[in-house]
Amino acid sequence: MRILVFSHYPDLAAELVSAGSGLGDVSLLATSDMREAVSGIKGAREILICEGVESGDQETLVELISGLASDFDVILLSGDRRGRELVGQVAHRVGGSSAVDASGLSVSGGNLIVERMTFGGKAIAVEELALPAVVSVQKGKFKPLEEGEPSIREISPPSMERRIQVVERREKPKVGVPLDKADIVVAVGRGFRRKEDLKLAYDLADVLGGVVGATRPVAADLKWMDEEVWIGISGVRISPKLLIVVGASGQQQFAAGIMDSKVVVAINNDPKAPIFEQSDYGVVMDLYEFLPVLTEKLRKLKGV
Amino acid sequence: MDIAVLIKQSLDVQELRVDQDTGKIYVEDAPTKAGDIDLNAAEEAVRLKERLGGKAVALMLSTWGSSGRRQKEAREALTRVLAMGLDEAVLIMGEGAERADTYVVAKALAREIGNRFQLVLAGEGSEDNFSGLLPARLAAELGWPYVAYATSLEVEGDVATVTRSLEDFEEVVKVKLPAVISVTQEINKPRVPKLMEIVKARKKPMDAKNFSSSEEPKVRIRELRVPKVERKRVIIEGDKDEAAEKLIQALKEEGVI
Ligand SMILES: Cc1cc2nc3c(=O)[nH]c(=O)nc-3n(C[C@H](O)[C@H](O)[C@H](O)COP(=O)(O)OP(=O)(O)OC[C@H]3O[C@@H](n4cnc5c(N)ncnc54)[C@H](O)[C@@H]3O)c2cc1C
Ligand SMILES: Nc1ncnc2c1ncn2[C@@H]1O[C@H](COP(=O)(O)O)[C@@H](O)[C@H]1O
């Protein structure tokens, strides 16, 4: 099997190389602005570097990857937004099958077998994909390889007429510890009435040495958090040792992002909130009453 | 300018029952509805149409079989977006559609779209499958550019200006129409139709078409499993002091604090 992998993010590209190497020979594609960033990635047979294409140019990337596809059986992309945006376009251009967010990959009977979450996280589907197959891979599922020095091959850019023009790019503020790497997470939901009240959650997280995450509406809609990183099926999947969910209902799309947490605590004043079904410990109480008490007791315990 | 809005009949995942012990997934029992994000796409189409004129048409290819109940649900989902202000709806249904994957659905919807529309709006991901594959494939099939994750959208002449939200930055792009654009939940607040509007919507044109396709799907679902998540589900009783003490004790025993 010949596998082509590409991601805008070097750490995800390294994971894709690892995912692909379980299936066959891997070629890692990079644009020339990523040359440095991918130079340390091990385990691919070769790195293809395309001069004259910028990694932010999605339209040209579709053309470039589709053009290379005839030499490959499987194309692996990353599960971030730009990665996912490419999957369907490339798959259709090459007349191939597709799937997103694969957590497992194998080959059987000339098909690619993909495991992935579906029904908002309520089920896992095992799908048989005809080759060629274009698949995005779930973040964090494959460990980067430590060996295998790739050769470098320069390739030339496609020539094409562009219809999409990027006119502005605004960086979003970066978070300290990324949610998906944190040991302790306090997740806040719309049960908080005002942005200032989130201090209750930050205080709790501080005492525990944890970080604060949010549901999608708090982060993306109300924009109460610095960053636009929310927990769930369309955001980050987390796997902390301890997750404390405060004032979030636990709708399925949020719940899908917390399944790998070790211990889950829910604080919600509605005894019928679905979050209690997905928790180890539940406290049915007004967060405004309970959080200050909990934080104070933990502070005494920890002597901070 | 005429706009097509893609409305997927989605399984209501909140209502879907699964049994962790037997591994059974009660797909047949769960209701279906228009996906939440599809309503954002419909809302955006109505707003654009109000500004720019032209028609906005809902397109749905139902892949949940054609039992009486599923047909009724599909029609209800379309009536809802008609009540929001879309002008017409097209419902494609029939034998073989349950097996259709995004490759087959994209081909079928592209035939319906042809060169009748200048803009296709979709959700960034469907309620029950959240892949974003369909609009991307449709764009490729039509040979149109594709821009995903729109959080705002303006159209002037044959150029759309789209602000889109990516993990580490926001991007503003200009795209030449015709194009396929997918939207996020943050782009707008879908209006909730009044009873009167729903009554009126029942009189709007809804064109039922028979699904037919010579294409073979490229993806086959081999198995659906229920993920195993074991939770203790202990409710901690007592007033706020007692509850906090008990919770801290439990977390100490778990070894997580
Ligand atoms: C395709 C799709 C993808 C989505 N992806 C995501 C995703 O990735 N992540 C995500 O989070 N959402 C996602 N959503 C949205 C999701 O469906 C829910 O709307 C969202 O998770 C609800 O957020 P919430 O719990 O903060 O708000 P609500 O559902 O409004 O819940 C607020 C909770 O706070 C409780 N509460 C209120 N006051 C208090 C108080 N004083 N003390 C204690 N508790 C209180 C209430 O009882 C309620 O349970 C997605 C939706 C769709 C359709
Ligand atoms: N069968 C369908 N009929 C109409 N629109 C669809 C269909 N499937 C997907 N869509 C549209 O494509 C979007 C993304 O769906 P998906 O690719 O399944 O994540 C949805 O939000 C809908 O707007």
Side-chain angles (χ1 to χ4, degrees), chain A residues 239-250:
Chain A
S239 50
K241 288 209 283 256
L242 172 61
L243 168 66
I244 304 181
V245 183
V246 190
S249 57

Side-chain angles (χ1 to χ4, degrees), chain A residues 81 92 124 163 172 277, chain B residues 141 143 149 165-166 225 233:
Chain A
R81 288 184 159 206
H92 210 77
I124 305 215
R163 298 161 297 182
K172 291 182 185 172
E277 289 291 301
Chain B
E141 177 70 24
Y149 320 117
S165 174
L166 303 168
R225 280 207 309 267
R233 300 197 193 115

Side-chain angles (χ1 to χ4, degrees), chain A residues 79-210:
Chain A
D80 55 279
R81 288 184 159 206
R82 281 183 291 175
R84 270 192 288 133
E85 185 178 45
L86 297 172
V87 179
Q89 295 182 83
V90 172
H92 210 77
R93 290 275 294 268
V94 305
S97 60
S98 54
V100 297
D101 236 10
S103 54
L105 295 166
S106 60
V107 179
S108 151
N111 290 318
L112 183 70
I113 312 297
V114 168
E115 274 198 35
R116 57 178 292 261
M117 226 185 226
T118 186
F119 297 157
K122 280 209 170 143
I124 305 215
V126 182
E127 299 181 344
E128 279 177 22
L129 275 66
L131 300 182
V134 186
V135 175
S136 70
V137 176
Q138 193 187 323
K139 188 175 173 183
K141 285 284 162 183
F142 295 88
K143 284 235 161 350
L145 302 175
E146 280 165 16
E147 273 169 52
E149 219 38 69
S151 59
I152 307 277
R153 183 150 66 93
E154 307 280 336
I155 58 174
S156 43
S159 69
M160 56 179 285
E161 192 199 330
R162 283 163 55 191
R163 298 161 297 182
I164 303 176
Q165 189 202 346
V166 177
V167 290
E168 198 186 334
R169 204 165 271 162
R170 294 188 286 264
E171 295 266 339
K172 291 182 185 172
K174 292 249 183 313
V175 264
V177 182
L179 282 176
D180 54 345
K181 303 236 159 58
D183 272 342
I184 297 188
V185 176
V186 176
V188 299
R190 259 195 312 218
F192 286 81
R193 289 192 283 269
R194 298 177 314 162
K195 183 178 176 187
E196 299 78 71
D197 302 346
L198 294 182
K199 179 160 189 313
L200 295 172
Y202 281 103
D203 287 348
L204 176 60
D206 276 349
V207 178
L208 292 169

Side-chain angles (χ1 to χ4, degrees), chain B residues 5-9 37-38 41 59-63 102 105 109 121-135:
Chain B
V5 189
L6 306 184
I7 305 293
K8 184 177 180 190
Q9 181 178 19
I37 306 187
D38 301 6
L59 301 182
M60 173 186 282
L61 196 159
S62 167
T63 53
T102 51
V105 175
L109 288 176
L121 294 180
E124 64 159 314
S126 57
E127 188 104 6
D128 50 8
N129 204 32
F130 206 76
S131 75
L133 288 172
L134 193 271

Side-chain angles (χ1 to χ4, degrees), chain A residues 9 56 58-59 79-93 95-100 108 113 115-130 132 134 161 163-174 184 208 216-217 220-221 223 228-230 233-234 241-242 244 250-253 258-265 267 274 276-285 289-290 293-294 297-298 301-302, chain B residues 11-18 25 27 36-37 64 101-104 106-107 124-125 127-149 151 161 163-176 178 184-186 188-189 217-245 247-248 250-257:
Chain A
Y9 299 91
Q58 291 285 90
E59 198 179 13
D80 55 279
R81 288 184 159 206
R82 281 183 291 175
R84 270 192 288 133
E85 185 178 45
L86 297 172
V87 179
Q89 295 182 83
V90 172
H92 210 77
R93 290 275 294 268
S97 60
S98 54
V100 297
S108 151
I113 312 297
E115 274 198 35
R116 57 178 292 261
M117 226 185 226
T118 186
F119 297 157
K122 280 209 170 143
I124 305 215
V126 182
E127 299 181 344
E128 279 177 22
L129 275 66
V134 186
E161 192 199 330
R163 298 161 297 182
I164 303 176
Q165 189 202 346
V166 177
V167 290
E168 198 186 334
R169 204 165 271 162
R170 294 188 286 264
E171 295 266 339
K172 291 182 185 172
K174 292 249 183 313
I184 297 188
L208 292 169
R216 179 166 179 156
D221 197 16
K223 298 195 192 299
E228 228 182 274
V229 176
W230 61 84
I233 194 154
S234 56
K241 288 209 283 256
L242 172 61
I244 304 181
Q251 296 290 305
Q252 187 54 40
Q253 289 92 2
I258 66 170
M259 289 196 309
D260 295 332
S261 308
K262 190 162 160 262
V263 176
V264 179
V265 175
I267 299 163
F276 289 120
E277 289 291 301
Q278 300 142 31
S279 300
D280 296 291
Y281 301 99
V283 178
V284 184
M285 219 176 281
E289 284 191 22
F290 186 66
V293 177
L294 179 64
K297 286 192 194 288
L298 283 166
L301 177 77
K302 300 230 162 194
Chain B
L11 214 57
D12 187 339
V13 294
Q14 199 62 36
E15 300 294 319
L16 175 64
R17 268 193 320 124
V18 301
I25 302 167
V27 172
D36 279 352
I37 306 187
W64 291 108
D101 61 0
T102 51
Y103 168 75
V104 174
K107 294 250 178 200
E124 64 159 314
E127 188 104 6
D128 50 8
N129 204 32
F130 206 76
S131 75
L133 288 172
L134 193 271
R137 280 188 177 271
L138 180 65
E141 177 70 24
L142 292 164
W144 295 2
Y146 175 52
V147 179
Y149 320 117
T151 54
T161 304
T163 305
R164 63 200 216 110
S165 174
L166 303 168
E167 281 88 350
D168 25 17
F169 50 85
E170 269 190 329
E171 200 171 73
V172 183
V173 303
K174 286 194 185 298
V175 54
K176 194 157 171 353
T184 68
Q185 272 192 306
E186 288 74 40
N188 56 38
K189 284 237 176 322
K218 294 181 181 291
V219 176
R220 199 182 71 86
I221 297 179
R222 191 192 259 191
E223 186 195 336
L224 284 170
R225 280 207 309 267
V226 182
K228 279 261 179 287
V229 198
E230 313 244 327
R231 294 286 172 216
K232 296 200 176 79
R233 300 197 193 115
V234 176
I235 295 293
I236 295 183
E237 312 280 349
D239 66 20
K240 56 190 177 187
D241 279 296
E242 285 161 14
E245 300 276 348
L247 177 60
I248 291 171
L251 295 182
K252 273 200 213 153
E253 277 160 26
E254 294 275 0
V256 292
I257 56 169

